[in-house]
Every structure is written in structure tokens, then in C-alpha cells.
Amino acid sequence: MTRRLPPAEATELRTGARHALTPVYRTADLVVLGLGVMIGAGIFSIAGRMAATTAGPGVILSFMIAGIACLLACLCYAELSSTMPTSGSAYTFAYVIFGEIWAWVIGWALILELQLAAAVVTRAWAQITVGAIGDFGVRVPRPEIVENILVLVILVLLTGVVAAGARIGLRALWVMVTAKLLAIGAVIVVGAAYVDVANFGDFHAEPQPVATPTATVLDLFVGQGQTFGWAGVFAAAPVIAFAYVGFDIVATAAEETVNPRTVVPKGMIRSLVVATVIYIAVAVVMVGMVPYTSISVQAPLSSAFQAVGAGWMVHVINAGAVLGLTTVILVLLVGQTRVLFSMARDGLIPRGLATISRRYHTPSRVTWVIGLVAILLAEFVPVLTMQELVVMGTLFAFMFVAAGVIVMRRRMPGLERGFRVPFSPLLPILSLAATFWLMVNLRLITWAWFTLWMVFGVLVYLAYGRRRSLLADPGRAAVATPGRGRHRR
């Protein structure tokens, strides 16, 4: 409960041959990394879906509110990343600030977030790819079987890219993100020509009772809310905030970044700001093209272009969606690899997973393990029903990071910081409040499953990690040094 990783050991360079990661990322690369995971297929659907069912034209305000909430969390991540530039991200932050048991809890939540997210996005990618093929007039026989084959192919391919090295993955990411942004740019430019300002109204729609009630934690205290009106604007914000989730993965690339104390905060904040501007621009086009009462929930943007006589844009949207989800899968695999690599390096999970490939200079062993688990989940588990668990794991880490800024300022004021959250502790407290508000808007069943996952994780820690941790036995930690072929601790 009390042993904490010394800050000097969290920030020192790991020079052991088996445990060294090669710096490859610069500021622009980290922006691309963030955009790769934050901008997926949801950009073509979430604005229209929320406008049609929850917020009306006020969905544009919902995007702004969600962006501000995520920016608060991003600022907290930026300070801790600039202080402890390590691949462990929130896991290592908690190890230094709160202690080992809390680090394990955060790491276990990140495993849930990233591993499940990779499976969810892969299954969605397969469905969208099959649909895009059908939109070209090609009949797909046995689409379920085709989807399963596509899941296997894309995960094997992208896992291989991640295992082959950060430079190869970065080149592939640059190409795909550029193509994706061109598709989104075409949507914004072409769609803007069909915008009718009358469709915006006064950004306010008449409030209505909730059509399909959901049992959230918030409902236990305030009862079922309303859709549309100001209630709808604020109710849509938590759903939209989920689209921004992913900027935290940029922090996992800190050990592979040149001059990380200043570059990681810049890359993280800039990627979130760019993603927010893009999302708002798409929302403006979506709401402006057709009245919100006429938006199709199933394919909002595609149906809007068809309604204004630009049906050819459906193929551009499909291409952008397929590319968008491809980059999301790639970055999720990178993030999960780096978190598990850090946990293995600390001994909390088998240390063999922290082995660095001599040929590719990447933790290839843990990469293939992650890829295999993602394949099994995507192929045999109904992962599309578990999307909220991904969000729950993310928000749980957000809360610890915001609290970590406050605690670290008090306990370790002398640590070098490449970035400082302005107006601390006010902004970290606001981040805590905003994150908690997002969490209570999740369903009760999500809280129940998350609690079971965390209880299971604590049992795993007590049975394995507590005794195997390098901090549990200073003698073992001393043996595991670079000079003896291991890693420094």
C-alpha cells in the first residue's frame, strides 16, 4: 500500500539492451498519433445521431462543452507527462504519486480500455468495410464470414506493423491519417456548399421526455431527464466526449519521443485542439445541410448528402471511415503495447513480456500477445455491446491523473516540469468534476461490470504482482541492471 516508485527511477533512461526503446517521435508525429486515434468513423455519424435524438442544432454546443471537458484532462496529462516522460503513462504516474497498488489499479483499467477498444474498433471496421464494398454494387456472400476473415487479416497485419518497429508504424500512420483528413476535408468543403442557415434555428429545440430510458447512475438521483433543449445539449456532451478519448495514448509514446518533456505536451494538446475543431466543423455541416428532424440515425452524413443530391460523397465517407478506423486500431495497439511493457518491466506482470527484439528494437513479444487477445475478443465475444466499458476505463484513469497533479504539486514541488497546468489546483479540480459528471452518465450495468473487472484485477495483483514486483525485493532489483543484461530499477 505504501511503496512508491522513486521519481528518479521513473524518469531515468533505460539503457539495458533488452529494455531500450528508440526515440523516433517529434511534435508533428505525436499530433498525427493523436489524430490517428481520436478521429475515427464516429466523426461521420456522431454529430448527426446526437442532433437527431438528443440535442438538435444545439449539438454544436455539445461538441464545445465536451471539448472543454477533455481539454481539462489533457492539460493534467500534459503536466505529468512532462514530469515523467515514460511509456507507462497514467500507470507510472500513479506508481510515483500514489503507490504500487494504485498503479496496478490504473494499469488494470488501461488494459481494459485499450485491449477491449482494439477489439471493438476492429469489429466495427470489418462491418463498415463490408458495407462500403456493398455500396460499390458488389454483392458480398456470407457477410458474417467475410467480416470474421477481415477481423483476422487486419489485426494480424497491424500487429505485425507495430511489432516491426515504431518507424514503420509511424510512416504507415502518416499516410493513412493524411488520406483520412483529405476525406474529411472534402466532406466539410462540399457539405458547406449545401448549408442552409435556417436549419440552425436558435440552437434550441423544444424539450421532450426521454423516448427510450436508460438506467444511468445519474438517473438514480435526478430521475429520467429530457432530450433536446438545454438538457439535451448537456446530455449529448458525455456521449460526444467519448469521441475525443484517445489523446491520453500520446503519453504512452513519451519514451520514444525526442525531447519528451516539451514535445509530448505540445503533441497531446495540439492533437486534441485540431480534433475538436474538425469535429465542430463536421457538426456544423451536418446540422446545416438538413433539418435535424430529417436526419437518418443509421447513416446521418451519407443520407444528408444523398438528400441534397450529392450521393457520390457516400464513397468518400466510406473511404474516410475505413481509413479512420484503421488508424485507430493501429494506435490502440501501440498504446496497449507500451503500457504492458512498462508493467512487465516493473515486474507486476511476467517480465519476459518486456523483452526488446534485437532486430526491430520493439517489445515484439508483448505486441503479438496483445494482437492474439484482440483477435480472440473480436472473433468470439460480442464486443460491440461493451463500448461503455472502454470509456469507463479511460475516465477512471482521467480522475487519477487530475488528482495526481494536485498531489504531486504538494509532495514533489521541486521536480522538473516541462509544462505546468495553469491556475492549479482550480483546473485539475474542474477536470475531476467534469470527469465524474461523464462517469455518472454511464449505465449502471457498465459500473457493475467495471467493478467486477477491478475486483478480479486486485486478486491478480495479490496473487502475483505484489510478490513479483521489483520494489518488493531490492536485491532482485539490484540484479536486474543494464550491466548484467537486465534493466535498471
Side-chain angles (χ1 to χ4, degrees), residues 115-125 378 383-387 390:
Q115 190 72 71
L116 187 57
V120 169
V121 175
T122 302
R123 175 54 66 178
W125 177 89
V383 289
L384 292 180
T385 64
M386 303 177 181
Q387 296 181 54
V390 175

Side-chain angles (χ1 to χ4, degrees), residues 95 185 199 217 220 319 345 350 373 378 381 426 454 468:
Y95 211 159
N199 291 328
V217 175
L220 293 178
R345 189 167 55 186
V373 174
V381 177
L426 175 60
M454 299 310 293
R468 298 281 184 166

Side-chain angles (χ1 to χ4, degrees), residues 366-380:
V366 71
T367 301
W368 284 110
V369 170
I370 289 168
L372 176 60
V373 174
I375 290 171
L376 294 175
L377 286 174
E379 294 281 17
F380 302 109

Side-chain angles (χ1 to χ4, degrees), residues 92-140:
T92 303
F93 305 158
Y95 211 159
V96 172
I97 299 170
F98 299 108
E100 185 174 279
I101 180 62
W102 302 111
W104 172 267
V105 167
I106 293 300
W108 196 249
L110 291 176
I111 290 173
L112 175 69
E113 171 202 349
L114 298 173
Q115 190 72 71
L116 187 57
V120 169
V121 175
T122 302
R123 175 54 66 178
W125 177 89
Q127 291 184 355
I128 290 174
T129 301
V130 170
I133 295 172
D135 285 339
F136 277 102
V138 179
R139 180 179 175 273
V140 180

